[in-house]
Amino acid sequence: SQKIEQNSEALNIQEGKTATLTCNYTNYSPAYLQWYRQDPGRGPVFLLLIRENEKEKRKERLKVTFDTTLKQSLFHITASQPADSATYLCATRADYKLSFGAGTTVTVRA
Amino acid sequence: GAVVSQHPSRVICKSGTSVKIECRSLDFQATTMFWYRQFPKQSLMLMATSNEGSKATYEQGVEKDKFLINHASLTLSTLTVTSAHPEDSSFYICSAIFPDSYNEQFFGPGTRLTVL
């Protein structure tokens, strides 16, 4: 069965540093990967989508890479700020259904 | 972006009672809505897919008689948890897509259900 894993439950970093989150998938080859942000007690908010034929995607201070050989996506938050503190979820999609990883909670210290 | 609302935001009920949660797309007509459940520190798990005017499609392991879904219009889907038990306590989140949002689902703010 399809499996998507985010191998770090929590990440604590100093303000201004780059946070790097990992998402691995097994047993299938998604056409694209999505990243969402979820704040406590709230629903996820879409951030970025990267397709299998794209190596890298950027949006402001966010960067996503997609390595289909390693079956892995990396999510980077550069010049991190305390406001970036949240849980970040990766997700793949098949027939409109999203499968989410468990998320990585990022805490940025001032 | 498109806005999805949920009501109520939190509900506490006694074991054995039924609870209805509403999901509305506020500024677009949603072709499909989804219902997820999220337990603490766990991922969102898809419960069912709901299309307006047709029966919902439930994921494996989700009891359709316990979690009743009604998608009465293109802007409203409801989830009714029937005969709720403490193990049904969770965070329920809906999402919606519309024809031009092929790559993005818009999520509601979630409903925290606590069954005593």
Side-chain angles (χ1 to χ4, degrees):
Chain A
S1 61
Q2 298 176 2
K3 196 172 181 182
I4 184 164
E5 288 184 332
Q6 292 181 252
N7 57 4
S8 181
E9 188 176 314
L11 183 64
N12 296 305
I13 61 169
Q14 186 71 39
E15 182 177 10
K17 301 293 186 183
T18 297
T20 298
L21 286 63
T22 305
C23 178
N24 295 290
Y25 56 92
T26 55
N27 298 332
Y28 66 120
S29 298
Y32 51 82
L33 246 146
Q34 301 181 0
W35 284 88
Y36 287 80
R37 169 181 174 143
Q38 186 176 24
D39 289 286
R42 307 291 295 175
V45 174
F46 173 80
L47 295 175
L48 279 167
L49 175 149
I50 185 166
R51 293 179 170 79
E52 60 179 341
N53 60 350
E54 297 175 319
K55 295 294 184 186
E56 182 179 296
K57 202 78 167 284
R58 290 177 185 261
K59 179 182 177 182
E60 298 174 351
R61 293 183 293 106
L62 307 179
K63 185 179 85 170
V64 173
T65 62
F66 196 179
D67 189 324
T68 55
T69 302
L70 294 177
K71 292 184 179 292
Q72 181 181 85
S73 174
L74 298 180
F75 178 83
H76 306 271
I77 307 172
T78 59
S80 60
Q81 303 168 0
D84 295 327
S85 298
T87 297
Y88 293 86
L89 308 168
C90 68
T92 59
R93 201 190 90 173
D95 295 330
Y96 292 105
K97 297 180 183 180
L98 289 178
S99 295
F100 285 91
T104 297
T105 298
V106 174
T107 302
V108 181
R109 303 187 307 274
Chain B
V3 178
V4 175
S5 71
Q6 279 184 245
H7 178 79
S9 57
R10 57 179 63 230
V11 56
I12 300 173
C13 68
K14 292 182 179 179
S15 185
T17 60
S18 294
V19 174
K20 181 185 282 188
I21 302 170
E22 291 186 349
C23 176
R24 292 182 186 273
S25 57
L26 297 184
D27 51 1
F28 65 99
Q29 292 187 326
T31 49
T32 304
M33 289 183 169
F34 304 87
W35 286 96
Y36 295 82
R37 182 166 53 181
Q38 186 177 33
F39 292 105
K41 295 194 181 298
Q42 293 189 26
S43 178
L44 279 78
M45 295 301 296
L46 180 65
M47 299 175 66
T49 303
S50 168
N51 291 293
E52 185 264 340
S54 62
K55 289 184 178 181
T57 302
Y58 291 81
E59 294 301 300
Q60 192 172 8
V62 177
E63 300 174 59
K64 61 180 68 176
D65 293 331
K66 181 170 186 60
F67 299 99
L68 302 179
I69 292 173
N70 185 351
H71 197 151
S73 73
L74 284 171
T75 59
L76 174 64
S77 177
T78 60
L79 168 68
T80 302
V81 183
T82 62
S83 187
H85 292 286
E87 58 266 29
D88 298 323
S89 298
S90 187
F91 193 51
Y92 292 86
I93 308 173
C94 71
S95 70
I97 59 174
F98 56 92
D100 292 334
S101 73
Y102 183 80
N103 292 325
E104 183 174 351
Q105 287 189 18
F106 299 92
F107 285 83
T111 297
R112 173 74 59 192
L113 170 63
T114 303
V115 184
L116 302 176

PDB file of all heavy atoms in Angstrom, chain A residues 71-92:
ATOM      1  N   LYS A  71      12.885   8.915  -4.130  1.00  0.00           N
ATOM      2  CA  LYS A  71      11.504   8.915  -3.630  1.00  0.00           C
ATOM      3  C   LYS A  71      11.401   9.834  -2.412  1.00  0.00           C
ATOM      4  O   LYS A  71      10.921   9.455  -1.341  1.00  0.00           O
ATOM      5  CB  LYS A  71      11.044   7.507  -3.288  1.00  0.00           C
ATOM      6  CG  LYS A  71      10.879   6.596  -4.495  1.00  0.00           C
ATOM      7  CD  LYS A  71      10.321   5.239  -4.088  1.00  0.00           C
ATOM      8  CE  LYS A  71      10.124   4.329  -5.282  1.00  0.00           C
ATOM      9  NZ  LYS A  71       9.044   4.796  -6.176  1.00  0.00           N
ATOM     10  N   GLN A  72      11.837  11.053  -2.639  1.00  0.00           N
ATOM     11  CA  GLN A  72      11.929  11.978  -1.517  1.00  0.00           C
ATOM     12  C   GLN A  72      11.683  13.419  -1.962  1.00  0.00           C
ATOM     13  O   GLN A  72      12.050  13.813  -3.061  1.00  0.00           O
ATOM     14  CB  GLN A  72      13.337  11.870  -0.919  1.00  0.00           C
ATOM     15  CG  GLN A  72      13.606  12.757   0.273  1.00  0.00           C
ATOM     16  CD  GLN A  72      15.039  12.568   0.754  1.00  0.00           C
ATOM     17  OE1 GLN A  72      15.974  13.194   0.260  1.00  0.00           O
ATOM     18  NE2 GLN A  72      15.209  11.704   1.733  1.00  0.00           N
ATOM     19  N   SER A  73      11.052  14.177  -1.073  1.00  0.00           N
ATOM     20  CA  SER A  73      10.906  15.610  -1.280  1.00  0.00           C
ATOM     21  C   SER A  73      11.483  16.322  -0.068  1.00  0.00           C
ATOM     22  O   SER A  73      11.275  15.885   1.074  1.00  0.00           O
ATOM     23  CB  SER A  73       9.434  15.989  -1.459  1.00  0.00           C
ATOM     24  OG  SER A  73       9.278  17.393  -1.522  1.00  0.00           O
ATOM     25  N   LEU A  74      12.202  17.387  -0.312  1.00  0.00           N
ATOM     26  CA  LEU A  74      12.730  18.220   0.768  1.00  0.00           C
ATOM     27  C   LEU A  74      12.014  19.565   0.737  1.00  0.00           C
ATOM     28  O   LEU A  74      11.768  20.131  -0.331  1.00  0.00           O
ATOM     29  CB  LEU A  74      14.231  18.427   0.620  1.00  0.00           C
ATOM     30  CG  LEU A  74      15.111  17.174   0.675  1.00  0.00           C
ATOM     31  CD1 LEU A  74      16.590  17.555   0.515  1.00  0.00           C
ATOM     32  CD2 LEU A  74      14.906  16.418   1.978  1.00  0.00           C
ATOM     33  N   PHE A  75      11.710  20.068   1.926  1.00  0.00           N
ATOM     34  CA  PHE A  75      11.019  21.347   2.077  1.00  0.00           C
ATOM     35  C   PHE A  75      11.910  22.244   2.911  1.00  0.00           C
ATOM     36  O   PHE A  75      12.292  21.884   4.029  1.00  0.00           O
ATOM     37  CB  PHE A  75       9.672  21.104   2.770  1.00  0.00           C
ATOM     38  CG  PHE A  75       8.860  22.329   3.050  1.00  0.00           C
ATOM     39  CD1 PHE A  75       8.058  22.887   2.063  1.00  0.00           C
ATOM     40  CD2 PHE A  75       8.879  22.925   4.304  1.00  0.00           C
ATOM     41  CE1 PHE A  75       7.282  24.009   2.326  1.00  0.00           C
ATOM     42  CE2 PHE A  75       8.116  24.048   4.574  1.00  0.00           C
ATOM     43  CZ  PHE A  75       7.312  24.592   3.584  1.00  0.00           C
ATOM     44  N   HIS A  76      12.265  23.395   2.369  1.00  0.00           N
ATOM     45  CA  HIS A  76      13.179  24.305   3.046  1.00  0.00           C
ATOM     46  C   HIS A  76      12.463  25.609   3.380  1.00  0.00           C
ATOM     47  O   HIS A  76      11.759  26.176   2.528  1.00  0.00           O
ATOM     48  CB  HIS A  76      14.389  24.642   2.166  1.00  0.00           C
ATOM     49  CG  HIS A  76      15.122  23.440   1.652  1.00  0.00           C
ATOM     50  ND1 HIS A  76      16.153  22.838   2.347  1.00  0.00           N
ATOM     51  CD2 HIS A  76      14.966  22.728   0.502  1.00  0.00           C
ATOM     52  CE1 HIS A  76      16.614  21.813   1.639  1.00  0.00           C
ATOM     53  NE2 HIS A  76      15.918  21.720   0.518  1.00  0.00           N
ATOM     54  N   ILE A  77      12.684  26.086   4.599  1.00  0.00           N
ATOM     55  CA  ILE A  77      12.247  27.427   4.980  1.00  0.00           C
ATOM     56  C   ILE A  77      13.515  28.218   5.240  1.00  0.00           C
ATOM     57  O   ILE A  77      14.245  27.949   6.209  1.00  0.00           O
ATOM     58  CB  ILE A  77      11.390  27.415   6.267  1.00  0.00           C
ATOM     59  CG1 ILE A  77      10.227  26.438   6.149  1.00  0.00           C
ATOM     60  CG2 ILE A  77      10.872  28.832   6.570  1.00  0.00           C
ATOM     61  CD1 ILE A  77       9.463  26.244   7.452  1.00  0.00           C
ATOM     62  N   THR A  78      13.801  29.173   4.382  1.00  0.00           N
ATOM     63  CA  THR A  78      15.026  29.956   4.542  1.00  0.00           C
ATOM     64  C   THR A  78      14.734  31.207   5.371  1.00  0.00           C
ATOM     65  O   THR A  78      13.588  31.671   5.436  1.00  0.00           O
ATOM     66  CB  THR A  78      15.598  30.368   3.181  1.00  0.00           C
ATOM     67  OG1 THR A  78      14.612  31.146   2.488  1.00  0.00           O
ATOM     68  CG2 THR A  78      15.922  29.147   2.344  1.00  0.00           C
ATOM     69  N   ALA A  79      15.773  31.712   6.017  1.00  0.00           N
ATOM     70  CA  ALA A  79      15.642  32.921   6.850  1.00  0.00           C
ATOM     71  C   ALA A  79      14.426  32.785   7.757  1.00  0.00           C
ATOM     72  O   ALA A  79      13.543  33.662   7.781  1.00  0.00           O
ATOM     73  CB  ALA A  79      15.542  34.161   5.981  1.00  0.00           C
ATOM     74  N   SER A  80      14.383  31.687   8.502  1.00  0.00           N
ATOM     75  CA  SER A  80      13.180  31.370   9.282  1.00  0.00           C
ATOM     76  C   SER A  80      12.848  32.444  10.311  1.00  0.00           C
ATOM     77  O   SER A  80      13.732  33.148  10.820  1.00  0.00           O
ATOM     78  CB  SER A  80      13.357  30.023   9.969  1.00  0.00           C
ATOM     79  OG  SER A  80      14.460  30.082  10.827  1.00  0.00           O
ATOM     80  N   GLN A  81      11.554  32.549  10.582  1.00  0.00           N
ATOM     81  CA  GLN A  81      11.030  33.536  11.532  1.00  0.00           C
ATOM     82  C   GLN A  81      10.142  32.817  12.540  1.00  0.00           C
ATOM     83  O   GLN A  81       9.571  31.769  12.225  1.00  0.00           O
ATOM     84  CB  GLN A  81      10.209  34.595  10.784  1.00  0.00           C
ATOM     85  CG  GLN A  81      10.954  35.313   9.685  1.00  0.00           C
ATOM     86  CD  GLN A  81      10.039  36.128   8.791  1.00  0.00           C
ATOM     87  OE1 GLN A  81       8.812  36.156   8.999  1.00  0.00           O
ATOM     88  NE2 GLN A  81      10.604  36.794   7.798  1.00  0.00           N
ATOM     89  N   PRO A  82       9.980  33.375  13.738  1.00  0.00           N
ATOM     90  CA  PRO A  82       9.073  32.737  14.711  1.00  0.00           C
ATOM     91  C   PRO A  82       7.675  32.488  14.139  1.00  0.00           C
ATOM     92  O   PRO A  82       7.026  31.510  14.514  1.00  0.00           O
ATOM     93  CB  PRO A  82       9.048  33.749  15.852  1.00  0.00           C
ATOM     94  CG  PRO A  82      10.392  34.390  15.804  1.00  0.00           C
ATOM     95  CD  PRO A  82      10.718  34.495  14.334  1.00  0.00           C
ATOM     96  N   ALA A  83       7.227  33.341  13.221  1.00  0.00           N
ATOM     97  CA  ALA A  83       5.902  33.157  12.613  1.00  0.00           C
ATOM     98  C   ALA A  83       5.824  31.925  11.727  1.00  0.00           C
ATOM     99  O   ALA A  83       4.722  31.491  11.348  1.00  0.00           O
ATOM    100  CB  ALA A  83       5.525  34.396  11.803  1.00  0.00           C
ATOM    101  N   ASP A  84       6.963  31.344  11.413  1.00  0.00           N
ATOM    102  CA  ASP A  84       6.985  30.109  10.616  1.00  0.00           C
ATOM    103  C   ASP A  84       6.705  28.890  11.483  1.00  0.00           C
ATOM    104  O   ASP A  84       6.550  27.779  10.960  1.00  0.00           O
ATOM    105  CB  ASP A  84       8.344  29.928   9.927  1.00  0.00           C
ATOM    106  CG  ASP A  84       8.628  31.015   8.902  1.00  0.00           C
ATOM    107  OD1 ASP A  84       7.677  31.496   8.260  1.00  0.00           O
ATOM    108  OD2 ASP A  84       9.810  31.400   8.766  1.00  0.00           O
ATOM    109  N   SER A  85       6.654  29.057  12.786  1.00  0.00           N
ATOM    110  CA  SER A  85       6.415  27.935  13.690  1.00  0.00           C
ATOM    111  C   SER A  85       5.035  27.350  13.411  1.00  0.00           C
ATOM    112  O   SER A  85       4.013  28.042  13.491  1.00  0.00           O
ATOM    113  CB  SER A  85       6.506  28.393  15.152  1.00  0.00           C
ATOM    114  OG  SER A  85       7.799  28.891  15.445  1.00  0.00           O
ATOM    115  N   ALA A  86       5.010  26.077  13.063  1.00  0.00           N
ATOM    116  CA  ALA A  86       3.766  25.393  12.696  1.00  0.00           C
ATOM    117  C   ALA A  86       4.125  23.942  12.393  1.00  0.00           C
ATOM    118  O   ALA A  86       5.297  23.551  12.430  1.00  0.00           O
ATOM    119  CB  ALA A  86       3.114  26.035  11.472  1.00  0.00           C
ATOM    120  N   THR A  87       3.119  23.156  12.061  1.00  0.00           N
ATOM    121  CA  THR A  87       3.346  21.799  11.579  1.00  0.00           C
ATOM    122  C   THR A  87       3.219  21.797  10.071  1.00  0.00           C
ATOM    123  O   THR A  87       2.289  22.377   9.513  1.00  0.00           O
ATOM    124  CB  THR A  87       2.335  20.819  12.197  1.00  0.00           C
ATOM    125  OG1 THR A  87       2.529  20.782  13.603  1.00  0.00           O
ATOM    126  CG2 THR A  87       2.528  19.415  11.636  1.00  0.00           C
ATOM    127  N   TYR A  88       4.173  21.181   9.422  1.00  0.00           N
ATOM    128  CA  TYR A  88       4.205  21.138   7.963  1.00  0.00           C
ATOM    129  C   TYR A  88       3.948  19.706   7.513  1.00  0.00           C
ATOM    130  O   TYR A  88       4.591  18.760   7.972  1.00  0.00           O
ATOM    131  CB  TYR A  88       5.538  21.666   7.436  1.00  0.00           C
ATOM    132  CG  TYR A  88       5.693  23.142   7.723  1.00  0.00           C
ATOM    133  CD1 TYR A  88       6.209  23.584   8.944  1.00  0.00           C
ATOM    134  CD2 TYR A  88       5.285  24.103   6.803  1.00  0.00           C
ATOM    135  CE1 TYR A  88       6.318  24.938   9.232  1.00  0.00           C
ATOM    136  CE2 TYR A  88       5.402  25.460   7.071  1.00  0.00           C
ATOM    137  CZ  TYR A  88       5.910  25.870   8.297  1.00  0.00           C
ATOM    138  OH  TYR A  88       6.022  27.210   8.565  1.00  0.00           O
ATOM    139  N   LEU A  89       2.996  19.583   6.597  1.00  0.00           N
ATOM    140  CA  LEU A  89       2.562  18.272   6.123  1.00  0.00           C
ATOM    141  C   LEU A  89       2.889  18.113   4.643  1.00  0.00           C
ATOM    142  O   LEU A  89       2.669  19.041   3.864  1.00  0.00           O
ATOM    143  CB  LEU A  89       1.046  18.126   6.281  1.00  0.00           C
ATOM    144  CG  LEU A  89       0.443  18.431   7.639  1.00  0.00           C
ATOM    145  CD1 LEU A  89      -1.085  18.526   7.526  1.00  0.00           C
ATOM    146  CD2 LEU A  89       0.806  17.345   8.629  1.00  0.00           C
ATOM    147  N   CYS A  90       3.398  16.950   4.279  1.00  0.00           N
ATOM    148  CA  CYS A  90       3.505  16.655   2.855  1.00  0.00           C
ATOM    149  C   CYS A  90       2.363  15.723   2.493  1.00  0.00           C
ATOM    150  O   CYS A  90       1.826  15.009   3.350  1.00  0.00           O
ATOM    151  CB  CYS A  90       4.863  16.061   2.483  1.00  0.00           C
ATOM    152  SG  CYS A  90       5.189  14.426   3.127  1.00  0.00           S
ATOM    153  N   ALA A  91       1.985  15.763   1.236  1.00  0.00           N
ATOM    154  CA  ALA A  91       0.851  14.954   0.798  1.00  0.00           C
ATOM    155  C   ALA A  91       1.022  14.576  -0.668  1.00  0.00           C
ATOM    156  O   ALA A  91       1.569  15.353  -1.458  1.00  0.00           O
ATOM    157  CB  ALA A  91      -0.461  15.717   0.994  1.00  0.00           C
ATOM    158  N   THR A  92       0.545  13.402  -1.013  1.00  0.00           N
ATOM    159  CA  THR A  92       0.476  13.003  -2.405  1.00  0.00           C
ATOM    160  C   THR A  92      -0.986  12.786  -2.750  1.00  0.00           C
ATOM    161  O   THR A  92      -1.826  12.618  -1.869  1.00  0.00           O
ATOM    162  CB  THR A  92       1.259  11.707  -2.668  1.00  0.00           C
ATOM    163  OG1 THR A  92       0.716  10.665  -1.842  1.00  0.00           O
ATOM    164  CG2 THR A  92       2.724  11.877  -2.346  1.00  0.00           C
TER     165      THR A  92
END
